[in-house]
Amino acid sequence: MGHAARPATATRTTARAARRALPALAAAAGMVAVLGVAPAGAQPATKGDGTPAKTPVATGYGGAVSSVDPDASAAGIDVLRRGGNAVDAAVATAAALGVTEPYSAGVGGGGYFVYYNAKRHSVSTLDGRETAPQSADKDLFLDGQGKPLPFDDAVTSGLSVGTPGTAATWSDALRSWGTRSLGQVLKPAERLARDGFTVDKTFREQTADNEDRFKDFPASAELFLPGGKLPAVGSTLRNPDLARTYALLAKKGVGAIYKGELGRDIVSTVRKPPVDPKAQRTVHPGDLRAEDLRAYETKRQAPTRTSYRGLDVYGMAPSSSGGTSVAEALNILERTDLTKLSERDYLHRYIEASRIAFADRGRWVGDPAAENVPTKALTSQRYADSRACLIKPDKVLKSPLAPGDPTNPGAPGACDTRGHAAPTTYEGQSTTHLTTADKWGNVVAYTLTIEQTGGSGITVPGRGFLLNNELTDFSFAPADPAVHDPNLPGPGKRPRSSMSPTIVLDGHKPVLALGSPGGATIITTVLQTLLNHLDRGMPLVDAIAAPRASQRNAAQTELEPGLWNSPERARLEALGHAFKQNPEIGAATGVQRLADGRWLAAA
């Protein structure tokens, strides 16, 4: 691990430099840090407004951290510098993101943790997704007439709050693979919450987008609207309640949530949302109970795995659809040499593979504890071959595309056109991803979330964190009554996710790890970044920065401005593709092991 160095910082120089995050996304400009790059004692750079500078790439020995926030990356580096491993650093970084990215993640949410153990040459995962109350059923989000509630009414309510899984994920990851206690790795985040962080433009914009909601909840207003106003760019925002929450978790462990006083406060907040008496908003109560918290467990399960270009690609198995969908799309593309295609033809095949994978995701992927999810078949080359022949070089598939049947794929090469099409349902985009690595070669890819920007909008009084609205990731009703929907609410059920923390190995050696926020666009962001790097030869930082396209079995493919304004759009439209513009798709972070043993971190 080498030197007592501060995180490396530099001026952002990639194609993504001028872009600002949408309100529904975490900050696009990333912060990466590796040990042994900056001179000892160097301080992180700041911009003219006093906010921390961000950098898209850094290289060095000893370990690496990549996240969307400089303070969070610094927390992870601090743990690495003190002898912690990649797991310790990941939890420290995540806890700090709970301070500086509270609208995207925190102890009120959940996520997925993927870990490569360098000593055992193995990949393990933790499913820390939120769960519905035991009282939930398929009618959770239907009104008295059996019609779906308005989405915004469902989001800003106790109904949307699932049992948080983040703290349990931290505890279980540290106990299984870490070298430090929860109390030790929470220290940097506790200090950050107590001393405060510098508000940047994105944080102010995201607060503004939530201002009307936050005003209706006194605890949210007091924390995020100091003095009744939006926080000024360059000001310091402190969260002493969260500092005390972290100190309590350090002292008593996560039992304080699942069996103790923190949990009681969460339950009472969900069951009787603390709304300002003057508010005009109707806020539905939820039915989360103490027994739901007591029953909560993370799931340690095998990752998804597929071979691509001779490399092993590991992802998150259901309840996430990330691992199965990325694997299926890669398998569909496996038999095509993407290195020899024009940019138009490459993008055409990538878009079509994404379309097919999303058609199958919508029909087959849900919580495997409640649904029969054919994970092995969905990630098999045999099934991918039965779907790949749908792609034609001179024609475009029509969405919504019907799913295939991975339980009976037929002969390889026989195009699978069975099934009844259903459109893709909406999924919130406010999530955050971090990647870490250490001097021993261990790697973590960790995606965590509270769902919408600002989650439910409800802060637990006196505790300093927002509650998730993760249960709105369920389908409120079947997208098409003729098609079985595996993602309807149910008792104790985990809503389907698109989070796609991914680790790529070459034999037993780590090649790279990456992930992104962005709701359902996470899958396409990770897929396109992998293809850009592995097939198109882009350095990782350029593969992340390249303009994105996202096709999710919809009539139109979303394009970032770099593609929207490029000649490729007209060339693809000539084939029959239809597009709409999306100013920002994802905010990926990754780490890569270089041939000389150094780590590269990119964002």
Side-chain angles (χ1 to χ4, degrees), residues 448-539:
L448 59 160
T449 184
I450 59 171
E451 219 279 337
Q452 293 281 99
T453 302
S456 64
I458 305 171
T459 296
V460 181
R463 300 302 188 182
F465 61 88
L466 287 156
L467 291 172
N468 70 83
N469 66 291
E470 213 62 64
L471 300 189
T472 58
D473 270 355
F474 284 122
S475 304
F476 287 20
D480 186 327
V483 182
H484 174 73
D485 190 330
N487 191 41
L488 292 173
K493 194 174 179 181
R494 286 163 154 86
R496 181 175 62 209
S497 171
S498 296
M499 289 184 273
S500 307
T502 302
I503 293 178
V504 180
L505 303 182
D506 182 359
H508 296 317
K509 297 178 180 179
V511 175
L512 62 90
L514 79 155
S516 178
T521 69
I522 294 172
I523 291 168
T524 56
T525 293
V526 169
L527 174 63
Q528 190 175 0
T529 303
L530 287 171
L531 298 176
N532 285 343
H533 181 63
L534 299 177
D535 288 292
R536 306 298 281 180
M538 295 183 188

Side-chain angles (χ1 to χ4, degrees), residues 263-283:
R264 289 192 291 272
D265 287 350
I266 291 171
V267 168
S268 63
T269 302
V270 171
R271 296 181 66 82
K272 190 176 180 180
V275 186
D276 189 319
K278 299 189 293 292
Q280 301 299 307
R281 185 186 305 273
T282 298
V283 180

Side-chain angles (χ1 to χ4, degrees), residues 86-129:
V87 174
D88 305 322
V91 175
T93 304
L97 287 168
V99 180
T100 61
E101 294 278 316
Y103 307 150
S104 300
V107 295
Y112 298 100
F113 195 101
V114 180
Y115 166 62
Y116 169 69
N117 185 316
K119 186 175 182 180
R120 297 190 176 188
H121 307 302
S122 63
V123 177
S124 304
T125 75
L126 284 173
D127 179 333
R129 184 70 158 157

Side-chain angles (χ1 to χ4, degrees), residues 254-411:
V254 297
I257 289 179
Y258 300 101
K259 298 177 182 178
E261 58 194 274
L262 274 174
R264 289 192 291 272
D265 287 350
I266 291 171
V267 168
S268 63
T269 302
V270 171
R271 296 181 66 82
K272 190 176 180 180
V275 186
D276 189 319
K278 299 189 293 292
Q280 301 299 307
R281 185 186 305 273
T282 298
V283 180
H284 298 281
D287 195 38
L288 189 71
R289 299 171 185 264
E291 47 264 41
D292 294 312
L293 271 68
R294 286 197 297 269
Y296 184 83
E297 292 182 345
T298 63
K299 288 188 174 181
R300 186 167 174 178
Q301 58 190 30
T304 59
R305 177 183 177 183
T306 194
S307 176
Y308 186 71
R309 311 300 189 210
L311 302 173
D312 291 317
V313 181
Y314 293 86
M316 195 68 219
S319 57
S320 178
S321 63
T324 56
S325 300
V326 170
E328 181 181 351
L330 289 174
N331 287 337
I332 288 171
L333 296 168
E334 173 75 39
R335 303 194 191 282
T336 301
D337 186 351
L338 300 181
T339 65
K340 296 181 179 180
L341 297 182
S342 67
E343 188 69 9
R344 184 205 70 168
D345 291 345
Y346 155 61
L347 288 169
H348 169 65
R349 288 189 173 271
Y350 153 68
I351 288 169
E352 297 293 71
S354 299
R355 190 190 312 269
I356 294 168
F358 267 88
D360 293 335
R361 163 196 185 264
R363 167 61 184 85
W364 295 103
V365 182
D367 182 352
E371 301 287 337
N372 182 19
V373 183
T375 300
K376 186 175 181 180
L378 282 169
T379 57
S380 71
Q381 189 64 51
R382 177 183 174 88
Y383 180 62
D385 290 344
S386 77
R387 301 289 276 162
C389 50
L390 292 172
I391 301 176
K392 306 301 180 185
D394 56 350
K395 294 181 181 179
V396 174
L397 293 167
K398 185 177 181 180
S399 287
L401 180 71
D405 185 355
T407 66
N408 183 23

